[in-house]
Amino acid sequence: NAGVTQTPKFQVLKTGQSMTLQCAQDMNHEYMSWYRQDPGMGLRLIHYSVGAGITDQGEVPNGYNVSRSTTEDFPLRLLSAAPSQTSVYFCASRPFTENTEAFFGQGTRLTVV
Amino acid sequence: TQLLEQSPQFLSIQEGENLTVYCNSSSVFSSLQWYRQEPGEGPVLLVTVVTGGEVKKLKRLTFQFGDARKDSSLHITAAQPGDTGLYLCAGLEYNFNKFYFGSGTKLNVKP
């Protein structure tokens, strides 16, 4: 059972570079989301999607873009990386019904220098 | 500022002690969930509480949802080193669109 797969696991970027964090799930979940986790801050929602073709902003969307062309994939794009985006990024998916469990990937540790 | 505030932020106790972690908000949620996260891994669900005043037990862990559906607590009885980890609460909006996570409680149980 693959569940939620994130790639890469680690990445170092230079300020101003762009990159895409990949997220794929094989559970046919409608809802997918991206979080960032910083020390002492828990997880903060960046963007989310309730189905293919539908995305919306979370708490901290600035500097990030997303798209959802298929149910399975939900990539997160950093347009011009900044040191403030150094963080651990988690992708999660769940069925879009009430009170369901969110399944998380193993995370991508991103450092921007 | 975060929608859900957890306390304490850090907790270091001896094996066998009891502890309580709190999760508070000014917002009302459809449900509240507790997750546990190990280093280098994503969070994993422990429990979901749905009804105001609800109490759920999971072995030595007791979870309670406040009557007003704004707060929750996690009580661990006779903590063990295997309970060490980061505990996160998460509230689900009524339209099911967003999960908001608390800031987390880092628990260390010493043998």
Side-chain angles (χ1 to χ4, degrees):
Chain A
N1 292 337
V4 180
T5 304
Q6 286 183 239
T7 55
K9 283 201 159 188
F10 301 94
Q11 184 71 50
V12 178
L13 286 179
K14 292 184 178 178
T15 298
Q17 285 185 318
S18 63
M19 79 159 294
T20 300
L21 278 61
Q22 301 291 344
C23 175
Q25 53 98 2
D26 61 359
M27 297 172 281
N28 203 33
H29 289 165
E30 301 93 342
Y31 185 96
M32 295 185 75
S33 54
W34 276 101
Y35 293 87
R36 61 178 287 172
Q37 186 172 33
D38 301 299
M41 297 292 290
L43 281 85
R44 291 183 291 170
L45 181 64
I46 304 172
H47 286 285
Y48 66 96
S49 168
V50 299
I54 306 169
T55 63
D56 206 346
Q57 296 181 349
E59 302 168 83
V60 287
N62 292 341
Y64 308 95
N65 274 0
V66 292
S67 59
R68 183 96 179 269
S69 55
T70 66
T71 300
E72 295 77 20
D73 300 298
F74 190 44
L76 177 73
R77 295 184 192 85
L78 279 71
L79 308 172
S80 177
S84 61
Q85 293 179 304
T86 293
S87 187
V88 182
Y89 291 85
F90 287 98
C91 177
S93 76
R94 63 179 174 87
F96 190 57
T97 53
E98 58 185 310
N99 309 322
T100 53
E101 175 181 1
F103 294 85
F104 286 82
Q106 288 200 307
T108 296
R109 184 173 291 275
L110 176 68
T111 303
V112 183
V113 297
Chain B
T1 57
Q2 293 200 242
L3 207 57
L4 286 162
E5 295 292 335
Q6 279 186 243
S7 61
Q9 194 173 356
F10 300 98
L11 199 51
S12 183
I13 60 172
Q14 292 294 137
E15 182 176 2
E17 292 184 13
N18 301 333
L19 67 115
T20 301
V21 177
Y22 298 94
C23 176
N24 296 300
S25 176
S26 57
S27 299
V28 179
F29 294 104
S30 167
S31 64
L32 202 137
Q33 297 183 334
W34 285 91
Y35 289 79
R36 184 172 156 219
Q37 185 179 19
E38 303 280 356
E41 301 288 331
V44 176
L45 181 70
L46 293 173
V47 77
T48 301
V49 284
V50 178
T51 306
E54 181 177 3
V55 177
K56 278 192 175 178
K57 293 196 174 185
L58 191 68
K59 296 183 182 178
R60 294 176 293 99
L61 278 61
T62 302
F63 304 86
Q64 185 161 6
F65 201 13
D67 291 341
R69 310 166 71 95
K70 293 182 179 181
D71 54 87
S72 181
S73 63
L74 156 61
H75 182 80
I76 301 179
T77 303
Q80 299 176 0
D83 296 327
T84 293
L86 179 68
Y87 290 82
L88 295 156
C89 64
L92 180 62
E93 284 185 332
Y94 273 93
N95 62 4
F96 314 143
N97 275 355
K98 295 179 186 176
F99 260 121
Y100 291 98
F101 278 83
S103 46
T105 294
K106 197 166 186 178
L107 172 64
N108 180 35
V109 182
K110 295 175 283 188

